[in-house]
Amino acid sequence: MENESNNGKVPLISKIAYGFGDVGCNFSWMFVSNFLMIFYTDVFGIPMAAVSLLMLIARAWDAINDPIIGGLSDRTRTRWGRYRPWVLLMSFPTAIITVLTFWAHPDWSNTSKIVYMYVTYALLVFCYTGVNIPYSAMTSVLTQNTDERAKLSTMRITLANISIAGIGIIVIPMVSALGKGDAAMGYRLTAVIFVLIFMCCSAVVFATQKEVVPPPVKHKYPLRVQFKSMLANRPFLIAFCGQLLWGFFIHGRGSMYTYYFKYVQGDAGLMSLYNLVGLVPLVAGCYLFKAWYNVDGNKGRVTAYGCIGAGIAMILMRFTSPIGSPVLFYALCAISKFFEGVLASGIYGVIPDTVEYGQLKTGVRNDGFLSAFISLGNKFGIALGSAGVAAILAVLGFQANVTQTPLVSGTINNFFTVIPGILSVLCGIVFLFYKIDRKTFNDILSKLNDKVQSNDPDLV
């Protein structure tokens, strides 16, 4: 079933199929984001300081390969479109490297462990970029109907968040069951199962989607031109800053989930219950984003409300406990997850509309290049969050698999609650400045169509 381009409408089955792309990506990357750090320190036996340095170096590597992949996918021309072939073909090496990344060798020397960690992680980052950036860029070429884009984003993020919550619920029990006491084996077998899901989802996206928005006639823009166009695109810069903060407080916080429940609350299994309680509110928030947007008319403003609501709930969680005050703790969990669902739908929903804004303002349409920088902003946020947390914990004396000092456990608690909460509120303030509402976007499309019909030479 392929996308229909009639009035920009996308059939429901195609929206669902597109959303499965993010489901697959999460079974690779969110598994990595939320569990790789504790796998490195508590299973592989790598020092926390070395893990911290890895996160920073990997982001420098991302700064190089993200724009390269974005530019290459923009220039790709095949019978299947620009972006679909990337999603399918790059899923194979990504799957292989994901399994190798979770192949622990705790008996190796520290030097050998660290070298293996750096090589496999660098390869994983590159291969995953080759899937995720073209996949993200596809939204703007599946339709030019802003309401349909909001629905695509809602479907994508709803399914993504279901998979994220599902991963959070099942990983610890899966590692225990599959490993039968051997955590290294448990993580490895879990990775194998997850990458098979990832590859199937990538194949679904390739088989079902159709890129209906044709590429511009002139498509080989010099990097200087693309950078200039990007910097002139104010709504895009707001989206970029939002992704940077979001990566920090959502994914950086995600890397602390297992540490929080294992070392602060004393029971890693509570993480599964936390994600289970938050699942329904998370999905509800994703779905209600579209209804909220229909009333408000501005995706950025609705995203801001989601960020602020989630942030306040996270901050208040610092004064509760799943053991000492479980009712209040899980109530705040449900509230924060609801608003996280709203902001997750919105934070990706605003991006496609910035493409046409930039095209009208500068004459340059570069979906993949912009998608690369959105990804880069998100990954830098993840790096600042995970690397910063790891560095601070290393300085404070964190040791794997032992009882932590009050200073270390208190710091882990703050990185799970107060700090991401403050950053979430700040992210909401940033999105209050996003000004492309429904009427503005339709005016942009109308002006672009007039330029196309008049063969305007400035529209490239």
Side-chain angles (χ1 to χ4, degrees), residues 101-181:
T101 300
F102 281 95
W103 203 302
H105 304 279
D107 55 326
W108 285 5
S109 68
N110 271 346
T111 301
S112 298
K113 291 177 184 178
I114 291 170
V115 170
Y116 184 85
M117 174 182 71
Y118 275 83
V119 171
T120 53
Y121 193 74
L123 289 173
L124 177 61
V125 166
F126 177 78
C127 292
Y128 178 76
T129 297
V131 175
N132 189 250
I133 286 180
Y135 170 73
S136 298
M138 282 177 63
T139 309
S140 61
V141 298
L142 298 180
T143 177
Q144 283 189 309
N145 184 313
T146 187
D147 290 326
E148 288 296 291
R149 286 177 174 179
K151 292 175 184 177
L152 276 169
S153 177
T154 296
M155 181 61 70
R156 170 188 174 183
I157 298 303
T158 299
L159 294 179
N161 278 308
I162 291 173
S163 65
I164 291 170
I167 290 167
I169 293 167
I170 67 176
V171 165
I172 298 299
M174 279 185 69
V175 169
S176 177
L178 294 174
K180 297 178 180 179

Side-chain angles (χ1 to χ4, degrees), residues 61-73 75 86 126 369 372:
W61 171 229
D62 264 341
I64 297 171
N65 71 65
D66 275 22
I68 291 175
I69 295 295
L72 288 174
S73 62
R75 293 194 292 271
W86 284 85
F126 177 78
F369 187 82

